[in-house]
Amino acid sequence: MEDCLLKKIEISVSEAEKRTGRNAVNMQETYTAYLIETRAVESQTEGQCSPVDSLWRRYSEFELLRNYLLVTFPHIVVPPLPEKRAEFVWHKLSADNMDPDFVERRRIGLENFLLRVASHPILCQDKIFYSFLTQEGGWKEMVNETGFQLKADSRLKALSATFRVKNPDKRFTELKHYSDELQSVISHLLRVRARVADRLYGVYKVHGNYGRVFSEWSAIEKEMGDGLQSAGHHMDVYSSSIDDILEEEEHYADQLKEYLFYAEALRAVCRKHELMQYDLEMAAQDLTSKKQQCEELATGTVRTFSLKGMTSKLFGQETPEQREAKIKVLEEQIHEGEEQLKSKNLEGRDFVKTAWADIERFKEQKNRDLKEALISYAVMQISMCKKGIQVWTNAKECFSKM
Amino acid sequence: MINHYKFEDEPGLRDLFITVDDPESHVTAIETFITYRVATKTSRSEFDSSEYEVRRRYQDFLWLKSRLEEAHPTLIIPPLPEKFIMKGMVERFSEEFIETRRRALQKFLSRIADHPTLTFNEDFKIFLTAQAWELSSHKKQGPGLFSRMGQTVRAVASSVRGGVKNRPEIFMEMNDYMEIFTQKINLLDKISHRIYKEERDYFHEMKEYGPIHTLWSASEEDLVDSLKGVANCIDKCCKATEKRMTGLSENLLPVIHEYVLYSDILMGVLKRRDQIQTELESKVDALSTKKAEKDLLREEIGKLEDKVECANNALKADWDRWKQNMQYDMKSAFTNVAESNLQYYEQCLASWESFLTSQTVDLHLEEDSEDRP
């Protein structure tokens, strides 16, 4: 593995705590704070354990960090945060941000986010990221001082670039389609999974009613009573087993959600490329038109219609001195433009190279992670089946004794 | 004693086999109705032939049941499927409805055939053997529907009046038992139907769930095997769910439903027994108040005492038999449910385990190939 921060420090988000405070408009609010713990990685010699540093951060600070990374590293597929609000819920799950299960899963998601950034060869070297982990006070000011918000591309500009760019790199166009498909299919999968979970919950829970009725019925039956009573107990066990099963499945859903949000990160990189390419195309176009103007002035021929040409026809030609001056200015601009175009070209090619390297790295990570997630899903299903077999074997024995 | 024989599970002792099948629709100017083929095979000497095939409609079954109730007011006559299903989901002539009814009608006839007393009933024999016109003319003779209604009305009326005075202990127990049994069996009926509905809804969602993974595999070169593997497992679980649902609707639901109907029948039988005793009690009361006709009354009381004793004995014996059957039927039905669930989980387990093996084998292969230069 390449050199990364995780080789030097251990990072964890170990706790979550409810806080109350005052917000920007001085109104009272409740929020959750998360404890980030870091510890230098030492070789374990004679039980020497390095001290743990810790600080508290809330979700909005994580968001600020991520936005900073997005702007500062536009060629990198920046890891996503866990969802802001609970989506794809099935009926039992609370959609409330304060719900303890939701908070717990968010804690895990935030830790995952930090680990992803810390294991990224480029992102982990960022000073702001390091300070986020280690410097409690004054971090927000530090981030804002970088002025990253100003560097951010306007969404409008990015959107118009998407529509007007003529020759984007084909690979990025394909990547954009891929990320759209990924987002669409994972959303669909998560939606249906939530419905399946809901139905499964129903099946298990209704069996719990058997428990109660069997028990009441057993009271009037002499021979069947024992069998009924004990079978009823197993039905209760069956019915309550679904809660843990579905809670575990939520973690699987979270793994898929991470890649759902990664799709957006991929699209961000594609948009940046389109923007740069569009900029390049505009600059080239501008240069070409200036060169043309220069040529026209020098030779006196008007090949293209221009307002200037019209006015000079109407009001008379300019003096040779005026023309000379104009040509001089244009030549300077052309020279500047050529330099700019060269550097933009270089920038663009550089961007494509580094972005594509990160995308390849991302693809490998995605394949590994998703394959592992699918395997863990299978393991969960197997565990559920084994539990079911045990309960129904016991129940069958009870019924046969009736 | 007769009630030690379970005719249902000793086919060697059976000498009367009945099947109900082949529903056919008939359309006339006035109505549309369904007839079923009732086929009988028997080795009994009182039957002229060893095989019979007749066509009967639901009305005919109703007629048979009422004849049996008249002839044996304190025997437990098996239930018939309901005339209509009020749930509104099943149409009168839908395939599902007809099939459920067909099975219930067959159960009805085989229970009669297995009953030590009812199996020799003359109307039963006619029902199984008479051609349509023969049955019609036979129906017209003998006490009709009105007489049966009269009996039930009298029974209800007497229970409203304050009912029987000295109900024997054993019948008190039966009454108490039946009250609770009725409650519980109705609850079980609701619960079982609810489970069926939830399983069906689960099945529909699963049907959509699997194919999404296949769709996804179309855009993921490196994950095709994993995704298609998961899709495959989900589809297999889906099919297993369908089997489980079928098991429920073919085994458990009809049995529980039959016993829901039985609980009504048993309450009715207990009321009729009470009513017979009430008749005796009122005659006994009359004896103490009336001055004239004492001899006549005593004679009538004598007959009624016999009637009450017969009725009580018949009910006692049939009750024991019914309880044994109920225990056996419930045990089988629920054991079947457990077995069906076991098979479901075992099938699902097998498919997920084989998927897991295939994935971990791949991982090992990948690791091996990385080690090679």
PDB file of all heavy atoms in Angstrom, chain A residues 178 181 188 195 204 210 216 221 223 238 366-367 377 396 400, chain B residues 177 184 192 205 208-209 219-220 222 327 331 339 342 345:
ATOM      1  N   TYR A 178     -21.819   5.822 -16.851  1.00  0.00           N
ATOM      2  CA  TYR A 178     -21.688   4.752 -15.855  1.00  0.00           C
ATOM      3  C   TYR A 178     -22.191   5.220 -14.499  1.00  0.00           C
ATOM      4  O   TYR A 178     -22.935   4.510 -13.816  1.00  0.00           O
ATOM      5  CB  TYR A 178     -20.228   4.295 -15.742  1.00  0.00           C
ATOM      6  CG  TYR A 178     -19.991   3.406 -14.550  1.00  0.00           C
ATOM      7  CD1 TYR A 178     -20.381   2.065 -14.576  1.00  0.00           C
ATOM      8  CD2 TYR A 178     -19.428   3.904 -13.380  1.00  0.00           C
ATOM      9  CE1 TYR A 178     -20.207   1.251 -13.480  1.00  0.00           C
ATOM     10  CE2 TYR A 178     -19.253   3.093 -12.270  1.00  0.00           C
ATOM     11  CZ  TYR A 178     -19.646   1.777 -12.321  1.00  0.00           C
ATOM     12  OH  TYR A 178     -19.481   0.975 -11.231  1.00  0.00           O
ATOM     13  N   GLU A 181     -25.889   5.342 -14.328  1.00  0.00           N
ATOM     14  CA  GLU A 181     -26.461   4.006 -14.212  1.00  0.00           C
ATOM     15  C   GLU A 181     -26.277   3.455 -12.809  1.00  0.00           C
ATOM     16  O   GLU A 181     -27.185   2.845 -12.250  1.00  0.00           O
ATOM     17  CB  GLU A 181     -25.808   3.059 -15.217  1.00  0.00           C
ATOM     18  CG  GLU A 181     -26.554   2.987 -16.529  1.00  0.00           C
ATOM     19  CD  GLU A 181     -25.788   2.230 -17.591  1.00  0.00           C
ATOM     20  OE1 GLU A 181     -25.187   1.193 -17.235  1.00  0.00           O
ATOM     21  OE2 GLU A 181     -25.809   2.683 -18.744  1.00  0.00           O
ATOM     22  N   HIS A 188     -32.674   2.018  -6.973  1.00  0.00           N
ATOM     23  CA  HIS A 188     -33.759   1.065  -7.179  1.00  0.00           C
ATOM     24  C   HIS A 188     -33.606  -0.120  -6.239  1.00  0.00           C
ATOM     25  O   HIS A 188     -34.554  -0.541  -5.577  1.00  0.00           O
ATOM     26  CB  HIS A 188     -33.760   0.601  -8.651  1.00  0.00           C
ATOM     27  CG  HIS A 188     -34.966  -0.186  -9.023  1.00  0.00           C
ATOM     28  ND1 HIS A 188     -35.037  -0.962 -10.165  1.00  0.00           N
ATOM     29  CD2 HIS A 188     -36.165  -0.342  -8.418  1.00  0.00           C
ATOM     30  CE1 HIS A 188     -36.213  -1.551 -10.230  1.00  0.00           C
ATOM     31  NE2 HIS A 188     -36.924  -1.193  -9.193  1.00  0.00           N
ATOM     32  N   ARG A 195     -38.522  -2.451   0.893  1.00  0.00           N
ATOM     33  CA  ARG A 195     -39.862  -3.048   0.838  1.00  0.00           C
ATOM     34  C   ARG A 195     -39.811  -4.530   1.219  1.00  0.00           C
ATOM     35  O   ARG A 195     -40.677  -5.020   1.950  1.00  0.00           O
ATOM     36  CB  ARG A 195     -40.469  -2.891  -0.553  1.00  0.00           C
ATOM     37  CG  ARG A 195     -40.769  -1.447  -0.921  1.00  0.00           C
ATOM     38  CD  ARG A 195     -41.884  -1.323  -1.931  1.00  0.00           C
ATOM     39  NE  ARG A 195     -41.639  -2.042  -3.162  1.00  0.00           N
ATOM     40  CZ  ARG A 195     -41.258  -1.471  -4.306  1.00  0.00           C
ATOM     41  NH1 ARG A 195     -41.039  -0.190  -4.366  1.00  0.00           N
ATOM     42  NH2 ARG A 195     -41.077  -2.215  -5.388  1.00  0.00           N
ATOM     43  N   TYR A 204     -42.602 -12.471   9.935  1.00  0.00           N
ATOM     44  CA  TYR A 204     -42.097 -12.936  11.231  1.00  0.00           C
ATOM     45  C   TYR A 204     -42.995 -12.497  12.379  1.00  0.00           C
ATOM     46  O   TYR A 204     -43.332 -13.275  13.257  1.00  0.00           O
ATOM     47  CB  TYR A 204     -40.677 -12.405  11.459  1.00  0.00           C
ATOM     48  CG  TYR A 204     -39.582 -13.270  10.894  1.00  0.00           C
ATOM     49  CD1 TYR A 204     -39.322 -13.304   9.524  1.00  0.00           C
ATOM     50  CD2 TYR A 204     -38.797 -14.059  11.716  1.00  0.00           C
ATOM     51  CE1 TYR A 204     -38.313 -14.094   9.008  1.00  0.00           C
ATOM     52  CE2 TYR A 204     -37.773 -14.852  11.217  1.00  0.00           C
ATOM     53  CZ  TYR A 204     -37.540 -14.865   9.858  1.00  0.00           C
ATOM     54  OH  TYR A 204     -36.542 -15.649   9.350  1.00  0.00           O
ATOM     55  N   TYR A 210     -49.277 -16.465  17.036  1.00  0.00           N
ATOM     56  CA  TYR A 210     -49.473 -17.884  17.331  1.00  0.00           C
ATOM     57  C   TYR A 210     -49.116 -18.174  18.787  1.00  0.00           C
ATOM     58  O   TYR A 210     -49.809 -18.908  19.480  1.00  0.00           O
ATOM     59  CB  TYR A 210     -48.565 -18.754  16.448  1.00  0.00           C
ATOM     60  CG  TYR A 210     -49.150 -19.150  15.112  1.00  0.00           C
ATOM     61  CD1 TYR A 210     -48.318 -19.328  14.017  1.00  0.00           C
ATOM     62  CD2 TYR A 210     -50.504 -19.376  14.949  1.00  0.00           C
ATOM     63  CE1 TYR A 210     -48.833 -19.701  12.788  1.00  0.00           C
ATOM     64  CE2 TYR A 210     -51.021 -19.749  13.716  1.00  0.00           C
ATOM     65  CZ  TYR A 210     -50.177 -19.916  12.642  1.00  0.00           C
ATOM     66  OH  TYR A 210     -50.676 -20.286  11.424  1.00  0.00           O
ATOM     67  N   GLU A 216     -53.012 -19.731  25.161  1.00  0.00           N
ATOM     68  CA  GLU A 216     -54.380 -19.670  25.699  1.00  0.00           C
ATOM     69  C   GLU A 216     -55.138 -20.958  25.404  1.00  0.00           C
ATOM     70  O   GLU A 216     -55.892 -21.462  26.228  1.00  0.00           O
ATOM     71  CB  GLU A 216     -55.123 -18.473  25.095  1.00  0.00           C
ATOM     72  CG  GLU A 216     -54.581 -17.138  25.589  1.00  0.00           C
ATOM     73  CD  GLU A 216     -55.057 -15.959  24.736  1.00  0.00           C
ATOM     74  OE1 GLU A 216     -55.830 -16.191  23.776  1.00  0.00           O
ATOM     75  OE2 GLU A 216     -54.656 -14.819  25.026  1.00  0.00           O
ATOM     76  N   GLU A 221     -56.732 -27.810  26.792  1.00  0.00           N
ATOM     77  CA  GLU A 221     -56.423 -29.112  26.200  1.00  0.00           C
ATOM     78  C   GLU A 221     -55.597 -29.961  27.156  1.00  0.00           C
ATOM     79  O   GLU A 221     -54.547 -29.527  27.630  1.00  0.00           O
ATOM     80  CB  GLU A 221     -55.641 -28.925  24.889  1.00  0.00           C
ATOM     81  CG  GLU A 221     -56.401 -28.185  23.809  1.00  0.00           C
ATOM     82  CD  GLU A 221     -57.578 -28.977  23.267  1.00  0.00           C
ATOM     83  OE1 GLU A 221     -57.644 -30.208  23.525  1.00  0.00           O
ATOM     84  OE2 GLU A 221     -58.430 -28.377  22.603  1.00  0.00           O
ATOM     85  N   GLU A 223     -54.321 -33.308  26.527  1.00  0.00           N
ATOM     86  CA  GLU A 223     -53.182 -33.999  25.913  1.00  0.00           C
ATOM     87  C   GLU A 223     -52.343 -33.088  25.042  1.00  0.00           C
ATOM     88  O   GLU A 223     -51.144 -33.212  24.970  1.00  0.00           O
ATOM     89  CB  GLU A 223     -53.676 -35.184  25.082  1.00  0.00           C
ATOM     90  CG  GLU A 223     -54.070 -36.377  25.930  1.00  0.00           C
ATOM     91  CD  GLU A 223     -55.186 -37.180  25.261  1.00  0.00           C
ATOM     92  OE1 GLU A 223     -55.215 -37.220  24.012  1.00  0.00           O
ATOM     93  OE2 GLU A 223     -56.017 -37.743  25.992  1.00  0.00           O
ATOM     94  N   TYR A 238     -39.156 -17.107  17.181  1.00  0.00           N
ATOM     95  CA  TYR A 238     -39.092 -16.843  15.740  1.00  0.00           C
ATOM     96  C   TYR A 238     -39.434 -15.400  15.445  1.00  0.00           C
ATOM     97  O   TYR A 238     -38.704 -14.693  14.745  1.00  0.00           O
ATOM     98  CB  TYR A 238     -40.058 -17.792  15.032  1.00  0.00           C
ATOM     99  CG  TYR A 238     -40.073 -17.676  13.531  1.00  0.00           C
ATOM    100  CD1 TYR A 238     -38.966 -18.041  12.763  1.00  0.00           C
ATOM    101  CD2 TYR A 238     -41.211 -17.233  12.855  1.00  0.00           C
ATOM    102  CE1 TYR A 238     -38.987 -17.958  11.384  1.00  0.00           C
ATOM    103  CE2 TYR A 238     -41.235 -17.150  11.480  1.00  0.00           C
ATOM    104  CZ  TYR A 238     -40.129 -17.517  10.742  1.00  0.00           C
ATOM    105  OH  TYR A 238     -40.165 -17.436   9.376  1.00  0.00           O
ATOM    106  N   LYS A 366     -13.851  -0.169  -5.604  1.00  0.00           N
ATOM    107  CA  LYS A 366     -15.279  -0.440  -5.712  1.00  0.00           C
ATOM    108  C   LYS A 366     -15.534  -1.921  -5.940  1.00  0.00           C
ATOM    109  O   LYS A 366     -16.395  -2.517  -5.300  1.00  0.00           O
ATOM    110  CB  LYS A 366     -15.881   0.392  -6.842  1.00  0.00           C
ATOM    111  CG  LYS A 366     -17.252  -0.115  -7.282  1.00  0.00           C
ATOM    112  CD  LYS A 366     -17.700   0.477  -8.585  1.00  0.00           C
ATOM    113  CE  LYS A 366     -16.838   0.109  -9.739  1.00  0.00           C
ATOM    114  NZ  LYS A 366     -17.334  -0.924 -10.612  1.00  0.00           N
ATOM    115  N   ASN A 367     -14.773  -2.532  -6.858  1.00  0.00           N
ATOM    116  CA  ASN A 367     -14.984  -3.944  -7.142  1.00  0.00           C
ATOM    117  C   ASN A 367     -14.738  -4.796  -5.914  1.00  0.00           C
ATOM    118  O   ASN A 367     -15.492  -5.700  -5.605  1.00  0.00           O
ATOM    119  CB  ASN A 367     -14.090  -4.393  -8.297  1.00  0.00           C
ATOM    120  CG  ASN A 367     -14.565  -3.826  -9.618  1.00  0.00           C
ATOM    121  OD1 ASN A 367     -15.730  -3.471  -9.763  1.00  0.00           O
ATOM    122  ND2 ASN A 367     -13.671  -3.720 -10.578  1.00  0.00           N
ATOM    123  N   TYR A 377     -23.649 -10.149   2.530  1.00  0.00           N
ATOM    124  CA  TYR A 377     -25.097 -10.303   2.426  1.00  0.00           C
ATOM    125  C   TYR A 377     -25.464 -11.775   2.421  1.00  0.00           C
ATOM    126  O   TYR A 377     -26.395 -12.194   3.107  1.00  0.00           O
ATOM    127  CB  TYR A 377     -25.594  -9.607   1.160  1.00  0.00           C
ATOM    128  CG  TYR A 377     -27.099  -9.588   1.018  1.00  0.00           C
ATOM    129  CD1 TYR A 377     -27.887  -8.816   1.852  1.00  0.00           C
ATOM    130  CD2 TYR A 377     -27.730 -10.339   0.027  1.00  0.00           C
ATOM    131  CE1 TYR A 377     -29.263  -8.791   1.728  1.00  0.00           C
ATOM    132  CE2 TYR A 377     -29.106 -10.323  -0.104  1.00  0.00           C
ATOM    133  CZ  TYR A 377     -29.874  -9.544   0.741  1.00  0.00           C
ATOM    134  OH  TYR A 377     -31.236  -9.527   0.616  1.00  0.00           O
ATOM    135  N   LYS A 396     -41.456 -28.159  15.209  1.00  0.00           N
ATOM    136  CA  LYS A 396     -41.971 -29.411  14.651  1.00  0.00           C
ATOM    137  C   LYS A 396     -42.002 -30.498  15.714  1.00  0.00           C
ATOM    138  O   LYS A 396     -42.973 -31.248  15.831  1.00  0.00           O
ATOM    139  CB  LYS A 396     -41.092 -29.845  13.477  1.00  0.00           C
ATOM    140  CG  LYS A 396     -41.603 -31.078  12.766  1.00  0.00           C
ATOM    141  CD  LYS A 396     -40.754 -31.412  11.552  1.00  0.00           C
ATOM    142  CE  LYS A 396     -41.128 -32.795  11.024  1.00  0.00           C
ATOM    143  NZ  LYS A 396     -40.245 -33.213   9.939  1.00  0.00           N
ATOM    144  N   SER A 400     -45.280 -32.445  17.038  1.00  0.00           N
ATOM    145  CA  SER A 400     -45.423 -33.893  16.920  1.00  0.00           C
ATOM    146  C   SER A 400     -45.738 -34.529  18.267  1.00  0.00           C
ATOM    147  O   SER A 400     -46.195 -35.659  18.328  1.00  0.00           O
ATOM    148  CB  SER A 400     -44.155 -34.505  16.330  1.00  0.00           C
ATOM    149  OG  SER A 400     -43.096 -34.346  17.245  1.00  0.00           O
TER     150      SER A 400
ATOM    151  N   TYR B 177     -65.707 -25.745  27.297  1.00  0.00           N
ATOM    152  CA  TYR B 177     -64.609 -26.018  26.366  1.00  0.00           C
ATOM    153  C   TYR B 177     -64.895 -25.380  25.012  1.00  0.00           C
ATOM    154  O   TYR B 177     -64.057 -24.680  24.442  1.00  0.00           O
ATOM    155  CB  TYR B 177     -64.411 -27.528  26.212  1.00  0.00           C
ATOM    156  CG  TYR B 177     -63.387 -27.889  25.163  1.00  0.00           C
ATOM    157  CD1 TYR B 177     -62.035 -28.025  25.480  1.00  0.00           C
ATOM    158  CD2 TYR B 177     -63.759 -28.070  23.819  1.00  0.00           C
ATOM    159  CE1 TYR B 177     -61.090 -28.336  24.519  1.00  0.00           C
ATOM    160  CE2 TYR B 177     -62.820 -28.374  22.844  1.00  0.00           C
ATOM    161  CZ  TYR B 177     -61.491 -28.501  23.207  1.00  0.00           C
ATOM    162  OH  TYR B 177     -60.563 -28.793  22.242  1.00  0.00           O
ATOM    163  N   LYS B 184     -60.569 -19.445  20.180  1.00  0.00           N
ATOM    164  CA  LYS B 184     -59.184 -19.667  19.764  1.00  0.00           C
ATOM    165  C   LYS B 184     -59.086 -20.079  18.307  1.00  0.00           C
ATOM    166  O   LYS B 184     -58.209 -19.625  17.573  1.00  0.00           O
ATOM    167  CB  LYS B 184     -58.489 -20.708  20.659  1.00  0.00           C
ATOM    168  CG  LYS B 184     -58.441 -20.346  22.121  1.00  0.00           C
ATOM    169  CD  LYS B 184     -57.974 -18.929  22.357  1.00  0.00           C
ATOM    170  CE  LYS B 184     -58.391 -18.464  23.733  1.00  0.00           C
ATOM    171  NZ  LYS B 184     -58.294 -17.007  23.899  1.00  0.00           N
ATOM    172  N   SER B 192     -53.644 -17.266  10.600  1.00  0.00           N
ATOM    173  CA  SER B 192     -53.115 -18.044   9.476  1.00  0.00           C
ATOM    174  C   SER B 192     -53.349 -17.337   8.151  1.00  0.00           C
ATOM    175  O   SER B 192     -52.479 -17.333   7.278  1.00  0.00           O
ATOM    176  CB  SER B 192     -53.752 -19.425   9.436  1.00  0.00           C
ATOM    177  OG  SER B 192     -53.608 -20.051  10.677  1.00  0.00           O
ATOM    178  N   GLU B 205     -42.567  -8.822  -3.643  1.00  0.00           N
ATOM    179  CA  GLU B 205     -41.407  -7.929  -3.586  1.00  0.00           C
ATOM    180  C   GLU B 205     -40.136  -8.657  -4.001  1.00  0.00           C
ATOM    181  O   GLU B 205     -39.290  -8.113  -4.710  1.00  0.00           O
ATOM    182  CB  GLU B 205     -41.227  -7.354  -2.170  1.00  0.00           C
ATOM    183  CG  GLU B 205     -42.375  -6.493  -1.677  1.00  0.00           C
ATOM    184  CD  GLU B 205     -42.628  -5.237  -2.502  1.00  0.00           C
ATOM    185  OE1 GLU B 205     -41.782  -4.888  -3.354  1.00  0.00           O
ATOM    186  OE2 GLU B 205     -43.677  -4.614  -2.307  1.00  0.00           O
ATOM    187  N   GLU B 208     -39.362  -8.818  -7.646  1.00  0.00           N
ATOM    188  CA  GLU B 208     -38.765  -7.634  -8.251  1.00  0.00           C
ATOM    189  C   GLU B 208     -37.306  -7.476  -7.827  1.00  0.00           C
ATOM    190  O   GLU B 208     -36.491  -6.916  -8.565  1.00  0.00           O
ATOM    191  CB  GLU B 208     -39.555  -6.401  -7.810  1.00  0.00           C
ATOM    192  CG  GLU B 208     -39.512  -5.273  -8.816  1.00  0.00           C
ATOM    193  CD  GLU B 208     -40.120  -3.990  -8.274  1.00  0.00           C
ATOM    194  OE1 GLU B 208     -41.211  -4.074  -7.689  1.00  0.00           O
ATOM    195  OE2 GLU B 208     -39.480  -2.929  -8.448  1.00  0.00           O
ATOM    196  N   TYR B 209     -36.985  -7.987  -6.636  1.00  0.00           N
ATOM    197  CA  TYR B 209     -35.672  -7.765  -6.040  1.00  0.00           C
ATOM    198  C   TYR B 209     -34.541  -8.447  -6.810  1.00  0.00           C
ATOM    199  O   TYR B 209     -33.514  -7.832  -7.114  1.00  0.00           O
ATOM    200  CB  TYR B 209     -35.727  -8.285  -4.598  1.00  0.00           C
ATOM    201  CG  TYR B 209     -34.578  -7.942  -3.706  1.00  0.00           C
ATOM    202  CD1 TYR B 209     -33.958  -6.704  -3.742  1.00  0.00           C
ATOM    203  CD2 TYR B 209     -34.118  -8.861  -2.763  1.00  0.00           C
ATOM    204  CE1 TYR B 209     -32.914  -6.396  -2.878  1.00  0.00           C
ATOM    205  CE2 TYR B 209     -33.088  -8.558  -1.900  1.00  0.00           C
ATOM    206  CZ  TYR B 209     -32.490  -7.326  -1.953  1.00  0.00           C
ATOM    207  OH  TYR B 209     -31.473  -7.030  -1.100  1.00  0.00           O
ATOM    208  N   SER B 219     -23.753  -3.415 -16.144  1.00  0.00           N
ATOM    209  CA  SER B 219     -22.807  -2.295 -16.205  1.00  0.00           C
ATOM    210  C   SER B 219     -21.549  -2.541 -15.362  1.00  0.00           C
ATOM    211  O   SER B 219     -20.723  -1.652 -15.204  1.00  0.00           O
ATOM    212  CB  SER B 219     -23.486  -0.986 -15.790  1.00  0.00           C
ATOM    213  OG  SER B 219     -24.207  -1.136 -14.599  1.00  0.00           O
ATOM    214  N   GLU B 220     -21.411  -3.742 -14.796  1.00  0.00           N
ATOM    215  CA  GLU B 220     -20.230  -4.031 -13.974  1.00  0.00           C
ATOM    216  C   GLU B 220     -19.528  -5.272 -14.501  1.00  0.00           C
ATOM    217  O   GLU B 220     -19.912  -6.393 -14.208  1.00  0.00           O
ATOM    218  CB  GLU B 220     -20.641  -4.286 -12.511  1.00  0.00           C
ATOM    219  CG  GLU B 220     -21.345  -3.136 -11.838  1.00  0.00           C
ATOM    220  CD  GLU B 220     -20.409  -2.002 -11.458  1.00  0.00           C
ATOM    221  OE1 GLU B 220     -19.179  -2.200 -11.534  1.00  0.00           O
ATOM    222  OE2 GLU B 220     -20.916  -0.924 -11.091  1.00  0.00           O
ATOM    223  N   ASP B 222     -16.602  -6.532 -13.778  1.00  0.00           N
ATOM    224  CA  ASP B 222     -15.891  -7.375 -12.817  1.00  0.00           C
ATOM    225  C   ASP B 222     -16.800  -7.994 -11.764  1.00  0.00           C
ATOM    226  O   ASP B 222     -16.353  -8.815 -10.985  1.00  0.00           O
ATOM    227  CB  ASP B 222     -14.792  -6.548 -12.132  1.00  0.00           C
ATOM    228  CG  ASP B 222     -13.764  -6.057 -13.126  1.00  0.00           C
ATOM    229  OD1 ASP B 222     -13.124  -6.923 -13.752  1.00  0.00           O
ATOM    230  OD2 ASP B 222     -13.634  -4.838 -13.289  1.00  0.00           O
ATOM    231  N   GLN B 327     -57.498 -33.529  17.511  1.00  0.00           N
ATOM    232  CA  GLN B 327     -56.115 -33.567  17.956  1.00  0.00           C
ATOM    233  C   GLN B 327     -55.207 -34.054  16.830  1.00  0.00           C
ATOM    234  O   GLN B 327     -54.169 -33.465  16.539  1.00  0.00           O
ATOM    235  CB  GLN B 327     -56.006 -34.504  19.158  1.00  0.00           C
ATOM    236  CG  GLN B 327     -54.673 -34.442  19.849  1.00  0.00           C
ATOM    237  CD  GLN B 327     -54.696 -35.220  21.145  1.00  0.00           C
ATOM    238  OE1 GLN B 327     -55.702 -35.215  21.869  1.00  0.00           O
ATOM    239  NE2 GLN B 327     -53.601 -35.893  21.438  1.00  0.00           N
ATOM    240  N   LYS B 331     -52.497 -31.716  14.909  1.00  0.00           N
ATOM    241  CA  LYS B 331     -51.107 -32.162  14.982  1.00  0.00           C
ATOM    242  C   LYS B 331     -50.526 -32.290  13.581  1.00  0.00           C
ATOM    243  O   LYS B 331     -49.448 -31.771  13.293  1.00  0.00           O
ATOM    244  CB  LYS B 331     -51.072 -33.486  15.727  1.00  0.00           C
ATOM    245  CG  LYS B 331     -49.721 -34.143  15.777  1.00  0.00           C
ATOM    246  CD  LYS B 331     -49.827 -35.394  16.633  1.00  0.00           C
ATOM    247  CE  LYS B 331     -48.700 -36.358  16.297  1.00  0.00           C
ATOM    248  NZ  LYS B 331     -48.635 -37.446  17.248  1.00  0.00           N
ATOM    249  N   GLU B 339     -42.805 -28.487   8.824  1.00  0.00           N
ATOM    250  CA  GLU B 339     -42.015 -29.180   7.806  1.00  0.00           C
ATOM    251  C   GLU B 339     -41.841 -28.298   6.576  1.00  0.00           C
ATOM    252  O   GLU B 339     -40.755 -28.199   6.007  1.00  0.00           O
ATOM    253  CB  GLU B 339     -42.714 -30.493   7.434  1.00  0.00           C
ATOM    254  CG  GLU B 339     -41.984 -31.321   6.401  1.00  0.00           C
ATOM    255  CD  GLU B 339     -40.580 -31.702   6.819  1.00  0.00           C
ATOM    256  OE1 GLU B 339     -40.400 -32.052   7.999  1.00  0.00           O
ATOM    257  OE2 GLU B 339     -39.653 -31.615   5.979  1.00  0.00           O
ATOM    258  N   LEU B 342     -39.365 -25.688   7.274  1.00  0.00           N
ATOM    259  CA  LEU B 342     -38.023 -26.275   7.294  1.00  0.00           C
ATOM    260  C   LEU B 342     -37.494 -26.429   5.881  1.00  0.00           C
ATOM    261  O   LEU B 342     -36.356 -26.077   5.583  1.00  0.00           O
ATOM    262  CB  LEU B 342     -38.058 -27.639   7.981  1.00  0.00           C
ATOM    263  CG  LEU B 342     -37.873 -27.617   9.493  1.00  0.00           C
ATOM    264  CD1 LEU B 342     -38.049 -29.017  10.061  1.00  0.00           C
ATOM    265  CD2 LEU B 342     -36.492 -27.091   9.836  1.00  0.00           C
ATOM    266  N   TYR B 345     -36.473 -23.044   4.449  1.00  0.00           N
ATOM    267  CA  TYR B 345     -35.186 -22.522   4.917  1.00  0.00           C
ATOM    268  C   TYR B 345     -34.027 -23.367   4.417  1.00  0.00           C
ATOM    269  O   TYR B 345     -32.944 -22.849   4.122  1.00  0.00           O
ATOM    270  CB  TYR B 345     -35.170 -22.416   6.442  1.00  0.00           C
ATOM    271  CG  TYR B 345     -35.875 -21.176   6.945  1.00  0.00           C
ATOM    272  CD1 TYR B 345     -37.073 -21.261   7.638  1.00  0.00           C
ATOM    273  CD2 TYR B 345     -35.335 -19.915   6.696  1.00  0.00           C
ATOM    274  CE1 TYR B 345     -37.721 -20.119   8.068  1.00  0.00           C
ATOM    275  CE2 TYR B 345     -35.979 -18.769   7.131  1.00  0.00           C
ATOM    276  CZ  TYR B 345     -37.168 -18.869   7.810  1.00  0.00           C
ATOM    277  OH  TYR B 345     -37.811 -17.743   8.235  1.00  0.00           O
TER     278      TYR B 345
END
